[in-house]
Amino acid sequence: MTKTKVLNWLQKNTMVLILVLVFAFFAWQTGGKILNPQNITNLISQNAYVFILATGMLLCILTGGNIDLSVGSVVCFTGAIGALLMAGGMNMWLAVVVMLLIGLAIGAFQAYWIAYVRVPPFITTLAGMLIFRGLSNVALNGRTQSISDQMFKDIFGGGATCYIPDPFGGEGLNVLCLIVGLAVCVVYLVMVVRNRINRVKKGYEVKPLTAVVLRSVVIVAAVMFFTISLSRYKGIPTALLWVAVVICVYAYITSKTTIGRHLYAVGGNEKATKLSGINTKKVYFFAYANMGFLAALAGVLTIARMASAQPTYGDGYEMDAIGACFIGGASAYGGVGTVPGVIVGAVLMGVINLGMSVMGIDQNFQKVVKGGVLLAAVVFDVLSKRDDS
């Protein structure tokens, strides 16, 4: 492998290597406590909102490095409305639908000003952040609204029984979890092989077989480690199902659909995209309306995990989502970024959160560390673009 290829490989996999090093660092500092099955489960349950919000934030960033500052407030507002509706006797499923519709309406409201009136996204979503944080306080009257519906908490990731039941009744290990993990590995390997065969048939350039095998071994090992850790605790948390659905759907949208290609095109060169006949206003509208919908879903998961709604919920969520995107390889200039990259960024943010919590580090210092990691990721992106030019 030539020096250029090595450097390219390192550039593409920098954040993965950093994730491994950070995980190893916290494993050392915590005496291995971060590797406990319960902590691995908490990594998903406590950071489910990061995965969902970061996936939606990626679409906004792809349009040209734009962000949505209102998502934390939208999480809080939709969660407050949902908790109040369920406290008033509304069926939980109907309350969830209302929450999602409210989130979509908020996203569409902001998307209209951004896409058609051309108000800068930063200003529009900053206004939304203030408006919906204020409305959350008004709706809850500054108080906490508890949620007593156990089925809601179980289905959306809250409560002690929010895990998929194991029909095989394994002792010590959750057999269902192991089966799902093995199935994921098999599907992944089949997709890798099929993709390589198709590229060879069409005469496209393919990566060296050694690199593909090494990458596949690492991914399969990571999935199985994660699966075994979950199976040693209580199995698959329901929050993981919602995260998996969002990741799969949006990975498909960004890589296999027309609107996905349009998002990358707008971020790459909006003027050229518009001249080619693509309605860039609809692309912007889709990105921000979609962000509102996913913020509402994150609101559902948040109040389910906390078993309540409070005016302070969602505070700082937008920073975690933005950080996960940029750490995961999304470009500050737009047009570059993938859902798998966002997953890496979200996991890294989650590991930092969990590791410092296990170590008992003050939350204020945690913010300092996350801010430094975010700055380093963006600096790396800027410098790599400068080198390419």
Side-chain angles (χ1 to χ4, degrees), residues 73-231:
S73 297
V74 176
V75 166
C76 184
F77 179 67
T78 54
I81 297 300
L84 291 171
L85 291 176
M86 284 185 279
M90 180 177 285
N91 176 273
M92 56 158 281
W93 289 110
L94 183 56
V96 169
V97 171
V98 172
M99 291 173 68
L100 295 177
L101 290 176
I102 290 175
L104 182 60
I106 291 172
F109 170 76
Q110 295 188 138
Y112 170 77
W113 298 110
I114 294 169
Y116 294 98
V117 185
R118 305 301 291 179
V119 178
F122 183 89
I123 300 300
T124 302
T125 58
L126 176 61
M129 179 177 70
L130 299 173
I131 291 170
F132 296 108
R133 180 64 63 181
L135 289 176
S136 300
N137 278 277
V138 171
L140 292 171
N141 197 24
R143 302 175 181 176
T144 299
Q145 177 61 58
S146 61
I147 297 174
S148 59
D149 192 320
Q150 189 62 42
M151 181 179 292
F152 172 79
K153 291 185 284 187
D154 290 346
I155 292 175
F156 293 100
T161 57
C162 57
Y163 297 86
I164 305 300
D166 183 7
F168 304 101
E171 295 184 5
L173 287 176
N174 188 292
V175 179
L176 176 63
C177 186
L178 292 175
I179 292 174
V180 171
L182 288 171
V184 170
C185 292
V186 170
V187 170
Y188 168 73
L189 293 174
V190 169
M191 290 177 62
V192 170
V193 172
R194 286 185 58 186
N195 181 59
R196 186 175 181 84
I197 291 174
N198 290 334
R199 292 184 69 86
V200 170
K201 284 183 177 179
K202 295 177 181 179
Y204 296 156
E205 182 181 357
V206 295
K207 297 179 181 179
L209 183 60
T210 304
V212 174
V213 171
L214 179 61
R215 178 184 176 88
S216 299
V217 168
V218 171
I219 291 177
V220 168
V223 171
M224 289 311 301
F225 167 76
F226 179 69
T227 300
I228 293 172
S229 297
L230 293 182
S231 68

Side-chain angles (χ1 to χ4, degrees), residues 3 45 54 61 66 69 126 152 170 185 219 237 264 274 374:
K3 182 179 179 180
S45 300
I61 292 173
N66 301 304
L69 295 173
L126 176 61
F152 172 79
C185 292
I219 291 177
Y264 286 98
K274 190 172 184 179
L374 173 58

